[in-house]
Amino acid sequence: MRMDSFDKLYLEELKDAYSAEKQLVKAIPKMVKAATSPELRTALEEHLDVTRRQVERLEEIFQDLGKPASGKTCKGMAGIIEEGQEVLHEDGEPEVIDAAIIAAAQRVEHYEIAAYGTLRTFAETKGDTKAARVLEEILNEEKEADERLTRIAESSVYIHARSAEEGDAEWDEDEESSKSRTQPGRSL
């Protein structure tokens, strides 16, 4: 495709983000299955729901533009997912695998934060305030997901991963469940 207009660039970037989200809808369940931390599993499951809603909202933007929501594969996200899924097939301490899952998930979130920040600005530049608002909402959801992953990493997963080296790591189901209940309304 010839990139000869801002509108084409915007549409291509939207298709890229849409493809990325569709890929994540397939990838996140594998991360959930591999995670052993109850808090991490819950966060990933909740973010899967958020991701599905993001796909729907992107489809609405395409509909408003009168364009199809397909036709491009996000190679960047495909690479990030492929790299992140390598850890799911590793043999290792479950707590260390959880730490690696968080690292992979945060790479995903940072990629999405960059994409949605750009898309929001593109929509604002075009004067499409409705799309800009939706893209801003998605951007904020991705930032919240990144922040939640950081909290989970720093409050439990990284500590357990470090302790696994010393042989005394074990998830306390009640402790982790109570932590996740103290953060109602938060999505991954």
Side-chain angles (χ1 to χ4, degrees):
M1 169 184 222
R2 186 179 159 142
M3 198 65 59
D4 58 359
S5 75
F6 189 73
D7 287 345
K8 284 183 183 178
L9 173 62
Y10 177 58
L11 184 59
E12 286 301 302
E13 293 296 319
L14 278 171
K15 288 180 179 182
D16 199 64
Y18 180 73
S19 170
E21 298 296 356
K22 295 284 279 188
Q23 290 177 57
L24 288 169
V25 167
K26 293 177 183 175
I28 294 172
K30 295 173 187 173
M31 297 168 77
V32 170
K33 185 176 179 181
T36 58
S37 159
E39 189 175 13
L40 177 57
R41 268 195 319 265
T42 298
L44 291 169
E45 288 167 345
E46 290 174 1
H47 194 60
L48 178 58
D49 291 337
V50 170
T51 302
R52 287 181 179 131
R53 287 192 306 274
Q54 291 170 344
V55 167
E56 293 169 2
R57 289 184 289 172
L58 288 171
E59 288 170 347
E60 290 173 12
I61 292 173
F62 282 106
Q63 185 176 1
D64 289 347
L65 293 171
K67 302 290 182 182
S70 62
K72 182 174 184 166
T73 298
C74 179
K75 294 176 186 174
M77 185 58 74
I80 292 170
I81 289 171
E82 181 180 337
E83 185 177 286
Q85 287 189 350
E86 288 175 4
V87 74
L88 303 182
H89 304 291
E90 293 289 329
D91 182 31
E93 294 295 326
E95 298 85 1
V96 177
I97 300 296
D98 284 348
I101 290 170
I102 288 177
Q106 285 195 291
R107 280 192 291 279
V108 165
E109 295 308 328
H110 291 198
Y111 184 89
E112 290 181 304
I113 289 166
Y116 286 111
T118 298
L119 279 168
R120 180 217 42 223
T121 303
F122 281 5
E124 289 171 348
T125 301
K126 289 177 49 60
D128 188 346
T129 56
K130 180 180 176 187
R133 181 182 39 76
V134 169
L135 294 164
E136 176 75 18
E137 289 169 2
I138 295 173
L139 173 62
N140 289 335
E141 290 166 354
E142 303 302 359
K143 288 178 180 177
E144 288 173 14
D146 181 55
E147 291 167 7
R148 186 172 182 191
L149 287 166
T150 296
R151 283 193 308 276
I152 293 168
E154 292 175 347
S155 70
S156 64
V157 170
Y158 290 176
I159 294 164
H160 281 89
R162 180 71 176 128
S163 296
E165 292 177 19
E166 299 156 13
D168 62 355
E170 186 176 303
W171 289 113
D172 179 346
E173 190 78 31
D174 293 330
E175 174 190 335
E176 296 305 319
S177 296
S178 68
K179 283 182 186 176
S180 64
R181 284 193 303 267
T182 61
Q183 298 175 353
R186 299 292 292 183
S187 61
L188 166 73

